Amino acid sequence: MLLGIMRRQAKSWLIKFLIGIIALVFIFYFGYSFRSQRGMKMAYVNGEVISEQEYQKAFKETIEALQRQYKDFWNDNLIKALDLKNTTLVNLINQKLISQEAEKLGLDVTETEIQEAIINYPAFQIDGQFSIDRYRRVLDINRMKSEDFEEDIAKQLLYMKLRQFLFAFMEVTEQEALDFYAFENEKIKISFVQFKPEKFKKKVEVNQSELQNFFDKNRSKYRIPEKIKFSYIEIDSNSIKKDISITEKQIQDYYEFSIDTFSQPKQVRARHILFKLSQDATTEEDEKVRLKAEKILEQARKGSKFETLARKYSEGPTKEKGGDLGYFSAGQMVKPFEDAAFQLKKGEISDLVRSQFGYHIIKVEDIREANIKPLNEVRDQIVGILINNTRTELAHEKALSLLDHMPYDVDLVNYAKENGIEAKYLDYFSQDNPIPKIGNVEKIKHALFSLEDNEITELIEIDGKYYIFQIADKKESYLPELKEVSDKVKEDYISFISKVKSKEAAGAYLEELRNGKDWDKLSKEKGLEIEKTDFFSRNDPVPEIGNMPGLEDIIFHLNNENRYPNKVFENDKGVFVLRWDARKGINMEEYQKEKQEYRYSLMQKKHKRSFENWLQSLRNKSDIKIVAPFANK
């Protein structure tokens, strides 16, 4: 804002005088300060200095990276919220330790290696070839200098070399790979009965003393959060009425730069006949369905009309359409189906294809080869995009102009009125609630709630609209008295007691089972319904129950001799008593197909854990001194 004032008054003799005074202050005060800070030291790592200049460069790069991530939602108060000053210094210390260790080991990165890494960087390639123009454009968009990017690439390459050296002899054994695969893929199924707290609610009696005691113990839960009301200016690109003309060169340039957008991948049009079969089907069930499918396949290959066969025999949702799936490209169908369809020629019929849904017979009706849409076909689309982009740019310029000309310590409502704009208000809301009229955008809320009184945001873009916000009023957070939240407290108290009673009943029920009571008989005695799950793995939420912390660790260790866990389980649905029913081991054929993928995944986990331990060990035995500590302000 100060720069905006100075730009508007650039010819004023007063401004010229002020600039002269400022220059003198910089020369006599900051000049000394800059000279002295040039040699300032932030930390020593085994005697090697991390300089102020080095730190400021890394801090600047960290800020710029986050600004690109947060975009219009960024404000400088986030520096403190994210503890960026300390984080930057810790990262620099780690980099220094890694660099020192690499040097001891004789590891280095050459210019040729850096060049090869950049040439092979996918973001800099067009049609698989490195493009110097794309390289420059990508760096410009990200506001990076080529030398800084190349330095980052060098650090990454050195880091990779060090990891390769450290873990060159770290292997994943056959048994480890098998154990990891089994851990991820073995399945069990369980039975359970549920004790619902709702059934106990009517029996809960509440008196004022108990309610007050419950409230006193849990008072912090009922804290009324800070609430803020905002005034704001909104500039909508759709409100720009100016006639916009688009030139042929703009259309041509956009088409050439965005050519990937207009490429059409290879597409196949196919029909299929589906014979449903679950993944958990027995060998007998599989054989029965496969034999049926083979008979229909034989008919199709002998000339029976495929569409008629699909209408008669298919068990899929496209049955009534003769199995017609329309055109589809790679990635739209399950992989076994897709692999088979894209290998067929027009008019060909596949062998039986097994997917998670069952057996398929596929016939390819047509093939569209990959191509790029010609300019005349997408011209109207491009013109629409360019007009919309121009309107957005005009709205952006208008909003920036408002911000640039805004006086210091401005009242946003009055300023908007002076400029012929109606300011609007966002009614009181807390960080726990969506922003009225805007929604639950965490980055915006983070930015708005970090503002000081009367502070104004930078320009914020949301869905093509530009906003400037100012705090209009603030209600501080406070701990309420019981009377202010009595209805909520009473509701929570009844729920709490009901949960306690349902847990006690479930615990007694489990005790009877563990003492030898029959599972089926006891459920009938208590009037409880037994529910059963399908098979599920450790990575799946428990069917009908959902996620429950610690549940999988216990129930996957149960077996036929020990079917009941030693505790009941609870979540927001209720309290559960569980029984282990069966285990399904892994499919060794599937394991052999996926072994390398799991071996690689386990290797990555081992490397990551080992590297973190190695780095921590290095920090512990290194001489690290912070000589210029700072307050995180």
Side-chain angles (χ1 to χ4, degrees), residues 235-242 244 390-392 394-395 398:
I235 305 297
D236 186 351
S237 59
N238 292 323
S239 67
I240 304 297
K241 304 298 182 184
K242 180 180 177 182
I244 298 169
T390 304
R391 283 204 176 102
T392 301
L394 291 171
K398 181 178 179 181

Side-chain angles (χ1 to χ4, degrees), residues 1 7 67 75 85 139 337 357 459 557:
M1 292 176 199
R7 280 197 296 272
Q67 284 172 337
N75 69 67
K85 292 185 176 180
L139 292 189
F337 188 100
F357 303 109
L459 211 56
H557 285 89

Side-chain angles (χ1 to χ4, degrees), residues 1-267:
M1 292 176 199
L2 177 60
L3 290 176
I5 295 170
M6 292 177 71
R7 280 197 296 272
R8 293 195 300 276
Q9 305 293 338
K11 296 181 180 179
S12 162
W13 65 268
L14 177 60
I15 290 297
K16 291 178 181 178
F17 176 75
L18 286 173
I19 289 172
I21 295 295
I22 290 169
L24 288 173
V25 170
F26 266 80
I27 291 168
F28 288 106
Y29 178 74
F30 290 107
Y32 168 77
S33 177
F34 290 159
R35 284 192 301 272
S36 63
Q37 286 189 16
R38 195 172 294 131
M40 190 172 171
K41 301 171 180 63
M42 296 296 295
Y44 286 96
V45 181
N46 295 321
E48 193 173 341
V49 172
I50 294 176
S51 68
E52 167 75 6
Q53 185 179 8
E54 191 177 356
Y55 170 81
Q56 290 297 347
K57 180 176 180 291
F59 184 66
K60 180 173 177 286
E61 288 171 354
T62 302
I63 295 293
E64 287 174 350
L66 283 169
Q67 284 172 337
R68 288 193 294 273
Q69 179 186 341
Y70 275 76
K71 297 182 179 176
D72 295 334
F73 310 137
W74 172 266
N75 69 67
D76 288 345
N77 295 321
L78 291 173
I79 293 172
K80 180 179 179 181
L82 300 174
D83 195 20
L84 296 184
K85 292 185 176 180
N86 284 309
T87 301
T88 301
L89 188 56
V90 168
N91 287 340
L92 278 174
I93 290 170
N94 288 342
Q95 288 174 18
K96 194 71 74 175
L97 288 169
I98 290 169
S99 176
Q100 290 172 352
E101 202 65 16
E103 188 176 350
K104 288 179 187 176
L105 297 168
L107 302 176
D108 196 10
V109 176
T110 66
E111 286 188 15
T112 302
E113 288 173 319
I114 296 170
Q115 289 170 2
E116 286 178 358
I118 291 172
I119 288 170
N120 292 315
Y121 211 82
F124 306 141
Q125 294 182 352
I126 298 175
D127 296 330
Q129 297 294 319
F130 176 74
S131 166
I132 188 66
D133 291 335
R134 175 68 66 90
Y135 173 62
R136 288 168 179 161
R137 272 201 299 270
V138 171
L139 292 189
D140 285 344
I141 289 168
N142 289 280
R143 299 176 183 175
M144 290 187 74
K145 295 179 181 177
S146 59
E147 56 266 30
D148 291 335
F149 178 75
E150 288 162 16
E151 184 180 334
D152 287 343
I153 290 289
K155 288 177 183 175
Q156 290 176 28
L157 291 173
L158 186 63
Y159 171 75
M160 288 167 59
K161 282 189 175 184
L162 182 61
R163 283 179 67 107
Q164 287 169 359
F165 178 87
L166 292 173
F167 307 131
F169 303 104
M170 180 178 285
E171 290 293 330
V172 171
T173 67
E174 184 71 27
Q175 189 60 48
E176 284 177 323
L178 181 59
D179 290 344
F180 181 55
Y181 184 86
F183 182 85
E184 293 286 308
N185 291 279
E186 69 171 340
K187 294 183 177 182
I188 65 168
K189 63 179 176 180
I190 62 172
S191 302
F192 64 89
V193 293
Q194 183 177 1
F195 290 77
K196 297 180 180 179
E198 289 75 17
K199 291 186 176 180
F200 297 85
K201 281 188 175 181
K202 291 181 180 178
K203 299 178 183 178
V204 179
E205 295 180 2
V206 183
N207 63 56
Q208 195 60 30
S209 173
E210 290 172 340
L211 199 65
Q212 184 67 53
N213 187 45
F214 177 79
F215 173 69
D216 290 341
K217 288 180 179 178
N218 298 280
R219 192 178 182 192
S220 61
K221 278 178 54 181
Y222 301 98
R223 172 176 285 278
I224 306 299
E226 177 187 44
K227 293 184 178 180
I228 297 179
K229 181 178 182 180
F230 285 91
S231 58
Y232 69 96
I233 293 173
E234 175 188 271
I235 305 297
D236 186 351
S237 59
N238 292 323
S239 67
I240 304 297
K241 304 298 182 184
K242 180 180 177 182
D243 289 334
I244 298 169
S245 59
I246 303 299
T247 67
E248 188 62 31
K249 186 176 186 307
Q250 287 175 297
I251 296 170
Q252 185 70 37
D253 287 348
Y254 185 89
Y255 178 74
E256 290 177 2
F257 186 76
S258 308
I259 197 72
D260 292 346
T261 308
F262 306 115
S263 62
Q264 182 74 42
K266 180 179 179 179
Q267 290 187 312

Side-chain angles (χ1 to χ4, degrees), residues 241-487:
K241 304 298 182 184
K242 180 180 177 182
D243 289 334
I244 298 169
S245 59
I246 303 299
T247 67
E248 188 62 31
K249 186 176 186 307
Q250 287 175 297
I251 296 170
Q252 185 70 37
D253 287 348
Y254 185 89
Y255 178 74
E256 290 177 2
F257 186 76
S258 308
I259 197 72
D260 292 346
T261 308
F262 306 115
S263 62
Q264 182 74 42
K266 180 179 179 179
Q267 290 187 312
V268 166
R269 181 179 181 181
R271 294 181 186 271
H272 80 133
I273 304 171
L274 171 64
F275 302 88
K276 284 187 175 179
L277 185 68
S278 74
Q279 287 182 289
D280 301 327
T282 63
T283 304
E284 292 78 10
E285 290 171 334
D286 187 291
E287 181 72 9
K288 183 180 177 181
V289 173
R290 187 176 59 78
L291 287 172
K292 179 183 176 182
E294 283 177 347
K295 289 178 182 178
I296 308 305
L297 174 60
E298 187 178 353
Q299 290 182 43
R301 285 186 167 161
K302 284 182 176 179
S304 294
K305 193 172 181 182
F306 197 91
E307 181 178 347
T308 303
L309 292 174
R311 289 182 189 276
K312 186 174 180 180
Y313 296 107
S314 181
E315 296 171 344
T318 61
K319 174 178 181 174
E320 298 305 319
K321 296 192 295 182
D324 189 7
L325 294 164
Y327 286 96
F328 56 88
S329 53
Q332 291 183 264
M333 298 293 176
V334 291
K335 197 164 190 327
F337 188 100
E338 177 186 294
D339 289 346
F342 276 83
Q343 287 173 9
L344 296 173
K345 296 176 182 176
K346 183 176 177 179
E348 281 189 332
I349 296 174
S350 70
D351 293 328
L352 293 187
V353 177
R354 181 69 161 97
S355 81
Q356 65 200 60
F357 303 109
Y359 282 105
H360 306 260
I361 303 170
I362 306 167
K363 181 181 180 183
V364 169
E365 300 272 304
D366 191 24
I367 297 172
R368 289 177 179 168
E369 296 298 338
N371 65 83
I372 296 174
K373 293 180 181 178
L375 177 56
N376 61 352
E377 190 177 318
V378 295
R379 179 183 297 277
D380 291 345
Q381 179 186 344
I382 292 174
V383 169
I385 291 169
L386 291 174
I387 288 174
N388 185 60
N389 289 350
T390 304
R391 283 204 176 102
T392 301
E393 288 170 9
L394 291 171
H396 186 234
E397 288 174 10
K398 181 178 179 181
L400 276 178
S401 178
L402 283 169
L403 192 64
D404 190 42
H405 290 79
M406 194 175 288
Y408 181 73
D409 201 20
V410 68
D411 180 285
L412 193 62
V413 175
N414 290 335
Y415 180 69
K417 191 174 181 180
E418 290 168 5
N419 285 274
I421 301 171
E422 181 185 358
K424 301 178 182 180
Y425 285 95
L426 290 177
D427 207 355
Y428 292 103
F429 67 97
S430 70
Q431 278 193 282
D432 300 329
N433 303 124
I435 305 172
K437 304 175 188 175
I438 292 178
N440 201 25
V441 186
E442 287 301 321
K443 286 181 180 178
I444 302 177
K445 287 197 289 186
H446 204 162
L448 293 180
F449 274 83
S450 65
L451 294 176
E452 304 293 338
D453 287 345
N454 297 318
E455 189 176 356
I456 288 178
T457 64
E458 295 299 320
L459 211 56
I460 293 179
E461 188 269 329
I462 308 168
D463 297 332
K465 299 177 182 178
Y466 294 93
Y467 296 85
I468 303 170
F469 296 94
Q470 183 179 43
I471 293 179
D473 192 25
K474 184 184 290 187
K475 292 180 179 178
E476 299 295 338
S477 171
Y478 68 95
L479 289 172
E481 297 299 324
L482 175 58
K483 61 183 179 181
E484 295 178 70
V485 289
S486 58
D487 289 344

